[in-house]
Amino acid sequence: MSDLIHYNARMGFSSAAFALNDLQARNARLVRRAQQLPPVGARPATVGGRVGGWIGPVALAAVAGLPGVHVEPEAVHFTAAPAARLTLDAVLRGVALALRDAGCIRAWRDELLDVMAEGRQLGRIERGAVRPLGLLTQAVHLNGWSPDGRLWVARRALNKSTDPGLWDTLAGGLVAAGEDPESALLRETFEEAGLPAVALAAHGPLRTVLRMHRRLEDGYQVENVLLSDCVLDAGAVPRNLDGEVIEFRCLAMAELWDMITRGAFTLEAELAILDSLRHRLLAVSCAAPSARA
């Protein structure tokens, strides 16, 4: 029989009860969805001589023959092209433009992301090209709690290219080129929730929830999901500034759990929320063994 961990006043939660086993079982199912093999026919890709991505047949057809792109039966290699006087960044820009012209990029963002391979930053590329090339990205998320233990969540705009209209963590987004994850968290929280850095002064350190590997329509998502928790000041009300959020809610645990079980959240957001819930429930369990029912 599963252990029922009740939120109590010391943790600031509203009165509700969750089965820790149920949270763990749901998380296990989500992790299976978030850990998929590369698309059929995809080949490993190296960047600057280091393994860093996966490229599918359609994307490969779009970039084959470009300067700095070397296709071999077992892999595709992206390197600087001295003969054409192209740096690696120039080669990657040409690759991104070719992918756009071939219709492989869902949305051109005019935003650069770092290209990481084997733990090293090797270049920069248009954000829209990372999925067709299966390049590693880093996404930061903030779970913003109210002092009384409710959780703020945000609904994604209906014009978002991925997961339109689904619910998300309070704030989140990709780490931009040349940006560290902490700075990205503060930037995204201001842009999406209108909360300045001072409001997050006591937020917890970013931790890795997992590295996702997921097949998408436009390629392969390889992404580190990083998460921080923060208790917002009483009376704090988020407001969106960049048009990417259409609604905020502050949910008591019963409503939050209902939305989770109905699949109202993006995959990444649900994984992040479940991670926070598990951490908090385990803290209650360790601090107050007598709270078990």
Side-chain angles (χ1 to χ4, degrees):
M1 186 172 180
S2 61
D3 291 334
L4 289 178
I5 309 299
H6 291 264
Y7 293 111
N8 59 23
R10 287 173 306 146
M11 291 299 293
F13 285 105
S14 58
S15 58
F18 289 139
L20 184 59
N21 293 27
D22 293 340
L23 290 179
Q24 293 170 331
R26 186 167 184 88
N27 184 75
R29 291 195 295 272
L30 290 181
V31 169
R32 287 194 292 272
R33 285 176 53 198
Q35 299 296 355
Q36 300 175 344
L37 294 173
V40 174
R43 303 189 200 187
T46 72
V47 181
R50 297 181 179 275
V51 178
W54 291 87
I55 183 169
V58 176
L60 176 57
V63 303
L66 292 177
V69 179
H70 309 281
V71 180
E72 297 181 352
E74 71 279 4
V76 179
H77 309 283
F78 300 96
T79 64
R85 298 183 179 179
L86 294 176
T87 64
L88 180 56
D89 276 349
V91 168
L92 293 173
R93 175 165 176 75
V95 166
L97 290 170
L99 291 171
R100 183 190 65 181
D101 293 344
C104 296
I105 291 180
R106 178 177 293 179
W108 187 274
R109 301 289 293 269
D110 279 322
E111 299 175 18
L112 294 177
L113 301 185
D114 284 329
V115 176
M116 304 295 297
E118 299 180 19
R120 296 192 181 187
Q121 191 276 336
L122 299 173
R124 299 180 175 190
I125 196 168
E126 155 65 29
R127 172 174 171 166
V130 297
R131 302 305 182 219
L133 300 176
L135 298 172
L136 174 66
T137 54
Q138 295 195 89
V140 293
H141 288 266
L142 178 73
N143 276 332
W145 298 86
S146 68
D148 62 0
R150 292 173 296 153
L151 182 67
W152 282 102
V153 296
R155 189 179 178 209
R156 296 167 65 84
L158 298 179
N159 60 357
K160 295 281 286 184
S161 60
T162 56
D163 297 325
L166 290 185
W167 288 87
D168 213 329
T169 53
L170 175 58
L174 296 183
V175 179
E179 189 176 41
D180 63 83
E182 178 72 14
S183 297
L185 181 71
L186 297 179
R187 173 181 55 76
E188 289 287 351
T189 302
F190 181 73
E191 293 174 355
E192 295 191 349
L195 297 172
V198 66
L200 306 183
H203 74 276
L206 283 161
R207 61 184 183 272
T208 301
V209 176
L210 83 168
R211 176 173 291 186
M212 296 183 64
H213 298 83
R214 186 166 59 149
R215 293 189 294 271
L216 302 176
E217 289 185 8
D218 58 343
Y220 194 42
Q221 180 184 21
V222 183
E223 185 162 286
N224 289 333
V225 178
L226 308 176
L227 172 65
S228 173
D229 286 280
C230 181
V231 177
L232 302 178
D233 292 337
V237 178
R239 59 186 181 90
N240 182 247
L241 301 179
D242 63 5
E244 295 192 0
V245 173
I246 57 174
E247 183 181 356
F248 291 100
R249 288 185 189 174
C250 193
L251 304 176
M253 294 302 101
E255 187 177 4
L256 174 64
W257 184 247
D258 177 67
M259 290 178 64
I260 287 174
T261 56
R262 288 190 287 107
F265 290 93
T266 69
L267 177 59
E268 298 94 320
E270 187 174 336
L271 285 164
I273 291 170
L274 290 176
D275 187 83
S276 287
L277 289 176
R278 290 198 316 275
H279 275 77
R280 289 187 161 220
L281 292 178
L282 288 171
V284 171
S285 177
C286 294
S290 61
R292 298 174 190 268

